[in-house]
Amino acid sequence: MFRLITGIAGPSGFGSASTAEQVTQGIDATNLTVLITGGGSGIGFETARVLALRNAHVIIAARNIESANEAKQLILKDNKTARLDVLKLDLASLKSVKAFADNFIALNLPLNILINNAGIMFCPYQLSEDRMEMQFATNHLGHFYLTKLLLDKMKETAKSSGIEGRIINLTSVAHLHTYDEGIQFDKINEETSYSDTKAYGQSKLANMLHANELSRRLQAEGANITVNSVHPGLITTNLYRHSSIFIKCLKYLTYILWKNVRQGAATTCYVALHPALKGVSGKYFVDCNEFEPGTFATDKDLAKRLWDFSNKFVDAA
């Protein structure tokens, strides 16, 4: 907590006060193609901007194409040589995820880095078009399916280029605040027991379990791809638009702990690009430093069960 408040750097040399530009200073990403979901706003936009600044070819996947194209123009205004493309993706729809993956693969581009950034938070109870609780559908299943569909492309890129591939799942400290069983598989769509905050925590726990299980599988097959989870910190973005009055009051009272967007994108950019993390996989990062996650997040049996549950759902859709 002291380090969070003061911004004092950790073992990596960076801390909560570090910005995305600072943690990527001097890194040339010219040979990298990066796909980021939700790159049209908030920390996703800042991540896209900084990665483009470091010369990566950035693909912004977004539900709101108009907003994403406006974001692209904002980046190009200050960085006229930025390589940016925008493609439509609605993570709450598995049909949209499949169409996006098909469209991306048809472009015949390499894929070095996949950043599963987009998300929704504290939403009222609702089901997705695939009949899944919306926060779980958007935050976890959409990204799970997207990663599955693009994994062969990432393996192919890593093998042909000799450059390590990296997958980053954005999670949250909220993974500690979930349902009693961690993931309530048997009651995933139950409205009577629904809690907007616990459902969010459940989805963020799922992001971590997905990353850990995928990391384990890729290491077992010797693939040159790492998978890690990052908590960006508490950041003022429109992600909190569904927050209760209590959460908004808590936010006001804890203002000293909150980051700006440039600081919020730092950990993602650090894990995506920094050479110090070569070969590091299956880890959880906070403020650009490795951090110990909650007990559920390290449960290998829970991760395997989630993997099987998710595969079965997306394959049936």
Side-chain angles (χ1 to χ4, degrees):
M1 183 62 73
F2 177 75
R3 185 175 290 164
L4 173 62
I5 295 172
T6 61
I8 292 175
S12 69
F14 304 110
S16 62
S18 300
T19 67
E21 286 195 28
Q22 289 170 343
V23 304
T24 58
Q25 188 65 42
I27 297 175
D28 183 9
T30 299
N31 295 324
L32 302 179
T33 299
V34 182
L35 170 58
I36 177 169
T37 65
S41 62
I43 60 172
F45 169 77
E46 178 65 5
T47 302
R49 184 189 74 80
V50 171
L51 294 180
L53 184 66
R54 302 302 175 224
N55 301 316
H57 180 188
V58 179
I59 313 297
I60 296 174
R63 183 174 58 84
N64 187 331
I65 288 292
E66 183 178 346
S67 175
N69 276 315
E70 288 175 0
K72 174 182 175 180
Q73 292 308 313
L74 278 174
I75 295 173
L76 287 169
K77 183 179 178 181
D78 293 328
N79 180 7
K80 292 180 172 52
T81 61
R83 294 180 293 157
L84 296 159
D85 287 295
V86 173
L87 291 176
K88 184 172 179 60
L89 170 65
D90 181 357
L91 287 161
S93 163
L94 296 181
K95 180 179 178 181
S96 175
V97 174
K98 180 64 166 64
F100 172 89
D102 289 344
N103 290 337
F104 177 81
I105 291 170
L107 294 175
N108 200 30
L109 291 170
L111 182 57
N112 304 96
I113 300 171
L114 173 61
I115 302 176
N116 292 320
N117 165 82
I120 57 176
M121 184 180 193
F122 300 162
C123 302
Y125 178 83
Q126 58 182 311
L127 298 179
S128 69
E129 67 176 47
D130 301 298
R131 309 301 296 172
M132 176 61 66
E133 187 275 308
M134 187 61 82
Q135 294 192 82
F136 191 80
T138 303
N139 297 347
H140 167 61
L141 281 174
H143 282 127
F144 178 91
Y145 192 34
L146 177 67
T147 304
K148 179 178 181 176
L149 293 172
L150 296 180
L151 196 56
D152 283 344
K153 169 60 73 173
M154 292 198 70
K155 290 178 182 178
E156 174 189 312
T157 300
K159 186 174 182 179
S160 63
S161 67
I163 300 172
E164 178 183 83
R166 295 187 181 185
I167 299 172
I168 297 99
N169 279 4
L170 265 75
T171 182
S172 168
V173 68
H175 78 275
L176 298 170
H177 180 65
T178 183
Y179 295 103
D180 290 343
E181 57 269 63
I183 308 288
Q184 52 174 16
F185 296 102
D186 300 327
K187 300 184 291 182
I188 200 83
N189 287 339
E190 189 174 278
E191 186 173 3
T192 55
S193 63
Y194 180 76
S195 160
D196 57 359
T197 55
K198 288 184 178 181
Y200 178 69
Q202 173 180 248
S203 71
K204 294 290 98 180
L205 171 61
N207 291 148
M208 296 185 71
L209 292 169
H210 170 221
N212 293 345
E213 179 65 12
L214 179 57
S215 172
R216 185 189 68 76
R217 288 168 180 262
L218 290 173
Q219 287 179 314
E221 67 178 79
N224 189 23
I225 301 172
T226 63
V227 194
N228 291 293
S229 302
V230 306
H231 167 52
L234 300 173
I235 306 142
T236 303
T237 69
N238 63 3
L239 193 62
Y240 286 85
R241 62 188 178 277
H242 294 297
S243 299
S244 65
I245 293 175
F246 170 75
I247 294 293
K248 289 175 181 176
C249 289
L250 187 63
K251 176 180 168 184
Y252 176 78
L253 294 171
T254 58
Y255 72 94
I256 195 171
L257 302 178
W258 292 68
K259 297 181 179 182
N260 60 43
V261 171
R262 296 195 171 197
Q263 294 167 333
T267 306
T268 302
C269 289
Y270 173 73
V271 176
L273 291 188
H274 208 283
L277 295 187
K278 181 174 175 58
V280 176
S281 191
K283 304 299 183 182
Y284 172 49
F285 290 85
V286 179
D287 297 335
C288 301
N289 287 276
E290 191 177 327
F291 200 81
E292 189 68 27
T295 303
F296 279 133
T298 58
D299 188 326
K300 294 180 180 179
D301 291 334
L302 187 61
K304 177 64 166 58
R305 186 179 179 190
L306 176 66
W307 182 274
D308 293 341
F309 177 90
S310 303
N311 259 323
K312 183 177 179 180
F313 188 85
V314 300
D315 287 347

